[in-house]
Amino acid sequence: MKKLLIAILLCVSAAIAVQAQDYRYEIGAGLGLSGYLGDVNKSNVLKNPGLAGGAVFRYLPSTRWALKANITVAGISGNSADNNMVFPDGQTYSFNSTLCDFGAQIEFNFFEYGIGPTYKKLKRITPYATLGLGGVYASASGNGAFAMNIPMGVGVKYKLKERLNIGLEFTMRKAFGDKLDGLSDLNGVKSSFGKNTDWSSFTMLTITYEFSKRCKTCHYVD
């Protein structure tokens, strides 16, 4: 029984060693486009795109999973006249807003991601899905507002070298608030926690670098 238990533990340790990343962490930066859905844009998130840039940090527990923290600064804008929207009394509305978005997300890679021996069956490229929780601070026309949000999206990663990665990601962020654009209740419909709220989107190209190599001794992965 004791020998069987030892054999099982060795097999489990070997499995973890195969699936673990060679490096614990990843850090980098991204640049891309931002979008918006809200009071003056109800249907086309790609209309009036803005510029977005930020930083990203990942913890890499395995080749399938990653935990990511990010901070992004972006501009969004909109004009009701561009969308042929009709408001009470024929009013038109426009805005320019700056967003500071931050949060944490979990990522699932559809393939075992990495570079290594053939038997590990690692892929240099993989699509992935992401979901998380965050917050956003918006400043429009000198007025600031904060809201929690839920980021969700998809992306693809490619390993340029052993420690260097490039990625493309599209995420939508549902804000639990109606002030990202500095506008609220334009049709007289009161917003609530989940109703009549704003969305933002980021399409980001990132480049990241892995560091903090794991120590591997006798099938043990630190």
Side-chain angles (χ1 to χ4, degrees):
M1 184 67 182
K2 184 176 180 181
K3 291 182 179 180
L4 178 59
L5 181 59
I6 292 174
I8 292 173
L9 290 175
L10 287 175
C11 289
V12 171
S13 298
I16 293 175
V18 168
Q19 293 189 1
Q21 287 275 31
D22 288 336
Y23 296 89
R24 293 184 182 90
Y25 309 113
E26 186 179 321
I27 193 168
L31 187 67
L33 299 176
S34 56
Y36 148 86
L37 290 176
D39 293 275
V40 296
N41 182 13
K42 299 292 186 182
S43 59
N44 186 357
V45 72
L46 300 178
K47 196 174 186 67
N48 299 319
L51 186 64
V56 58
F57 174 85
R58 285 186 177 98
Y59 169 60
L60 310 171
S62 77
T63 57
R64 284 278 191 173
W65 296 94
L67 300 175
K68 179 175 69 177
N70 68 277
I71 182 168
T72 304
V73 177
I76 59 173
S77 62
N79 190 324
S80 62
D82 294 338
N83 298 280
N84 297 317
M85 300 180 71
V86 179
F87 290 101
D89 300 322
Q91 292 289 323
T92 59
Y93 299 91
S94 63
F95 77 95
N96 285 280
S97 180
T98 300
L99 307 182
C100 181
D101 183 280
F102 55 91
Q105 302 167 44
I106 186 168
E107 295 177 349
F108 173 72
N109 299 327
F110 289 96
F111 304 138
E112 302 283 357
Y113 180 61
I115 296 177
T118 304
Y119 75 89
K120 290 187 176 183
K121 298 181 179 180
L122 300 176
K123 303 293 185 182
R124 295 184 68 164
I125 187 169
T126 181
Y128 66 92
T130 182
L131 180 68
L133 182 65
V136 56
Y137 180 81
S139 177
S141 303
N143 298 315
F146 173 80
M148 298 296 293
N149 67 12
I150 295 179
M152 60 196 85
V154 293
V156 61
K157 305 172 184 176
Y158 177 72
K159 192 166 282 293
L160 294 169
K161 294 183 178 181
E162 181 185 10
R163 303 171 69 175
L164 192 63
N165 309 273
I166 189 170
L168 180 64
E169 180 182 277
F170 174 78
T171 55
M172 292 292 297
R173 285 162 159 77
K174 178 176 174 57
F176 293 102
D178 191 30
K179 292 294 184 67
L180 297 190
D181 49 15
L183 306 171
S184 182
D185 307 333
L186 301 184
N187 286 303
V189 178
K190 295 294 183 181
S191 60
S192 61
F193 185 75
K195 182 180 180 181
N196 195 30
T197 54
D198 294 333
W199 292 71
S200 60
S201 75
F202 299 141
T203 304
M204 301 289 289
L205 181 68
T206 61
I207 186 165
T208 58
Y209 180 78
E210 296 173 13
F211 64 100
S212 186
K213 191 174 181 65
R214 283 186 167 90
C215 177
K216 299 181 181 180
T217 306
C218 298
H219 302 294
Y220 174 74
V221 180
D222 180 24

